[in-house]
Amino acid sequence: MTMSHDRITLRGIRARGRHGVLRDERENGQEFVVDVDLHMNHEEAARSDSITDTVDYDELAKVIVADIAAEPLNLIESLAERIAQTVLREPAVAAVEVVVHKPEAPVSVPVADVSATVFRSRSSGGLGSAVSSQFVR
């Protein structure tokens, strides 16, 4: 699968998770916000005008929420990786960029945002680690 400049972008997917290294983060949880850019070729979907030739972003958003709510992780980098691996299970996606924002991160000074970004592609061996969920059309 060759890399295309075509993308589907979802911004601001919100869900509660219990990720973090502090006990309070694990016990009380907090909101996480996720942005994803799916790199894929839209030519067939544009020709057919059929959802079967692209990614159903409603279903995608649901599995990302499930990944956020799944088993707690220490790092938002690990959460971003979990989500990237889930997205890459969709055959139409050649690569994905995932940004996980932790707006309530326990930082001792005022910050506007804390986030971690990963970019994974099939060509770089992006599929590998286990994931907590999959989505199916």
PDB file of all heavy atoms in Angstrom, residues 4 34 41 43 49 62 77-78 93 95 119 121 130:
ATOM      1  N   SER A   4      -0.497   7.953   0.668  1.00  0.00           N
ATOM      2  CA  SER A   4      -1.263   8.965  -0.041  1.00  0.00           C
ATOM      3  C   SER A   4      -1.295  10.233   0.792  1.00  0.00           C
ATOM      4  O   SER A   4      -1.103  10.198   2.006  1.00  0.00           O
ATOM      5  CB  SER A   4      -2.693   8.444  -0.262  1.00  0.00           C
ATOM      6  OG  SER A   4      -3.512   9.447  -0.784  1.00  0.00           O
ATOM      7  N   VAL A  34      -8.388  12.954  22.266  1.00  0.00           N
ATOM      8  CA  VAL A  34      -7.579  12.320  21.228  1.00  0.00           C
ATOM      9  C   VAL A  34      -7.898  12.923  19.867  1.00  0.00           C
ATOM     10  O   VAL A  34      -9.060  13.151  19.525  1.00  0.00           O
ATOM     11  CB  VAL A  34      -7.817  10.796  21.204  1.00  0.00           C
ATOM     12  CG1 VAL A  34      -7.118  10.144  20.021  1.00  0.00           C
ATOM     13  CG2 VAL A  34      -7.359  10.164  22.513  1.00  0.00           C
ATOM     14  N   ASN A  41      -5.840   6.302   0.925  1.00  0.00           N
ATOM     15  CA  ASN A  41      -6.171   6.729  -0.422  1.00  0.00           C
ATOM     16  C   ASN A  41      -7.689   6.800  -0.562  1.00  0.00           C
ATOM     17  O   ASN A  41      -8.383   5.809  -0.359  1.00  0.00           O
ATOM     18  CB  ASN A  41      -5.579   5.738  -1.423  1.00  0.00           C
ATOM     19  CG  ASN A  41      -5.691   6.222  -2.837  1.00  0.00           C
ATOM     20  OD1 ASN A  41      -6.679   6.846  -3.210  1.00  0.00           O
ATOM     21  ND2 ASN A  41      -4.674   5.932  -3.636  1.00  0.00           N
ATOM     22  N   GLU A  43      -9.332   7.567  -3.408  1.00  0.00           N
ATOM     23  CA  GLU A  43      -9.773   7.471  -4.798  1.00  0.00           C
ATOM     24  C   GLU A  43     -10.968   6.530  -4.973  1.00  0.00           C
ATOM     25  O   GLU A  43     -11.961   6.899  -5.599  1.00  0.00           O
ATOM     26  CB  GLU A  43      -8.617   7.031  -5.692  1.00  0.00           C
ATOM     27  CG  GLU A  43      -7.574   8.111  -5.890  1.00  0.00           C
ATOM     28  CD  GLU A  43      -6.461   7.647  -6.790  1.00  0.00           C
ATOM     29  OE1 GLU A  43      -6.731   7.383  -7.990  1.00  0.00           O
ATOM     30  OE2 GLU A  43      -5.328   7.539  -6.305  1.00  0.00           O
ATOM     31  N   ASP A  49     -18.521   6.341  -3.916  1.00  0.00           N
ATOM     32  CA  ASP A  49     -19.389   7.053  -2.969  1.00  0.00           C
ATOM     33  C   ASP A  49     -20.009   6.076  -1.964  1.00  0.00           C
ATOM     34  O   ASP A  49     -21.139   6.234  -1.533  1.00  0.00           O
ATOM     35  CB  ASP A  49     -20.469   7.849  -3.710  1.00  0.00           C
ATOM     36  CG  ASP A  49     -21.137   8.889  -2.809  1.00  0.00           C
ATOM     37  OD1 ASP A  49     -20.460   9.406  -1.893  1.00  0.00           O
ATOM     38  OD2 ASP A  49     -22.334   9.165  -3.013  1.00  0.00           O
ATOM     39  N   LYS A  62     -15.821   5.276  18.288  1.00  0.00           N
ATOM     40  CA  LYS A  62     -16.253   4.381  19.367  1.00  0.00           C
ATOM     41  C   LYS A  62     -15.110   3.504  19.871  1.00  0.00           C
ATOM     42  O   LYS A  62     -14.961   3.307  21.085  1.00  0.00           O
ATOM     43  CB  LYS A  62     -17.408   3.503  18.908  1.00  0.00           C
ATOM     44  CG  LYS A  62     -18.707   4.239  18.703  1.00  0.00           C
ATOM     45  CD  LYS A  62     -19.758   3.276  18.166  1.00  0.00           C
ATOM     46  CE  LYS A  62     -20.993   3.974  17.687  1.00  0.00           C
ATOM     47  NZ  LYS A  62     -21.932   3.024  17.047  1.00  0.00           N
ATOM     48  N   GLU A  77       2.016   8.223  26.161  1.00  0.00           N
ATOM     49  CA  GLU A  77       2.699   7.673  24.994  1.00  0.00           C
ATOM     50  C   GLU A  77       2.215   6.250  24.715  1.00  0.00           C
ATOM     51  O   GLU A  77       2.019   5.864  23.560  1.00  0.00           O
ATOM     52  CB  GLU A  77       4.218   7.658  25.207  1.00  0.00           C
ATOM     53  CG  GLU A  77       4.852   9.027  25.330  1.00  0.00           C
ATOM     54  CD  GLU A  77       4.887   9.592  26.752  1.00  0.00           C
ATOM     55  OE1 GLU A  77       4.102   9.144  27.620  1.00  0.00           O
ATOM     56  OE2 GLU A  77       5.699  10.490  27.000  1.00  0.00           O
ATOM     57  N   SER A  78       2.022   5.481  25.782  1.00  0.00           N
ATOM     58  CA  SER A  78       1.524   4.109  25.631  1.00  0.00           C
ATOM     59  C   SER A  78       0.080   4.097  25.154  1.00  0.00           C
ATOM     60  O   SER A  78      -0.309   3.248  24.348  1.00  0.00           O
ATOM     61  CB  SER A  78       1.643   3.351  26.957  1.00  0.00           C
ATOM     62  OG  SER A  78       2.982   3.290  27.370  1.00  0.00           O
ATOM     63  N   VAL A  93      -6.343   1.921   6.037  1.00  0.00           N
ATOM     64  CA  VAL A  93      -5.446   2.920   6.623  1.00  0.00           C
ATOM     65  C   VAL A  93      -3.989   2.527   6.377  1.00  0.00           C
ATOM     66  O   VAL A  93      -3.551   1.461   6.800  1.00  0.00           O
ATOM     67  CB  VAL A  93      -5.717   3.085   8.138  1.00  0.00           C
ATOM     68  CG1 VAL A  93      -4.733   4.071   8.752  1.00  0.00           C
ATOM     69  CG2 VAL A  93      -7.153   3.523   8.372  1.00  0.00           C
ATOM     70  N   ALA A  95      -1.398   4.708   7.258  1.00  0.00           N
ATOM     71  CA  ALA A  95      -0.628   5.273   8.365  1.00  0.00           C
ATOM     72  C   ALA A  95      -1.582   6.082   9.238  1.00  0.00           C
ATOM     73  O   ALA A  95      -2.661   6.476   8.800  1.00  0.00           O
ATOM     74  CB  ALA A  95       0.494   6.161   7.852  1.00  0.00           C
ATOM     75  N   PHE A 119       3.308   8.577  15.296  1.00  0.00           N
ATOM     76  CA  PHE A 119       2.999   8.334  13.889  1.00  0.00           C
ATOM     77  C   PHE A 119       3.421   6.913  13.591  1.00  0.00           C
ATOM     78  O   PHE A 119       4.566   6.546  13.840  1.00  0.00           O
ATOM     79  CB  PHE A 119       3.737   9.319  12.976  1.00  0.00           C
ATOM     80  CG  PHE A 119       3.453   9.087  11.517  1.00  0.00           C
ATOM     81  CD1 PHE A 119       2.383   9.700  10.905  1.00  0.00           C
ATOM     82  CD2 PHE A 119       4.246   8.236  10.765  1.00  0.00           C
ATOM     83  CE1 PHE A 119       2.106   9.481   9.565  1.00  0.00           C
ATOM     84  CE2 PHE A 119       3.982   8.005   9.430  1.00  0.00           C
ATOM     85  CZ  PHE A 119       2.897   8.632   8.824  1.00  0.00           C
ATOM     86  N   SER A 121       3.005   3.647  10.603  1.00  0.00           N
ATOM     87  CA  SER A 121       2.566   3.255   9.268  1.00  0.00           C
ATOM     88  C   SER A 121       2.791   1.770   9.065  1.00  0.00           C
ATOM     89  O   SER A 121       3.601   1.155   9.764  1.00  0.00           O
ATOM     90  CB  SER A 121       3.318   4.048   8.195  1.00  0.00           C
ATOM     91  OG  SER A 121       4.676   3.665   8.166  1.00  0.00           O
ATOM     92  N   ALA A 130      -0.024  -5.849  20.976  1.00  0.00           N
ATOM     93  CA  ALA A 130      -1.423  -6.180  21.220  1.00  0.00           C
ATOM     94  C   ALA A 130      -2.226  -4.917  21.468  1.00  0.00           C
ATOM     95  O   ALA A 130      -1.709  -3.928  21.963  1.00  0.00           O
ATOM     96  CB  ALA A 130      -1.525  -7.107  22.429  1.00  0.00           C
TER      97      ALA A 130
END
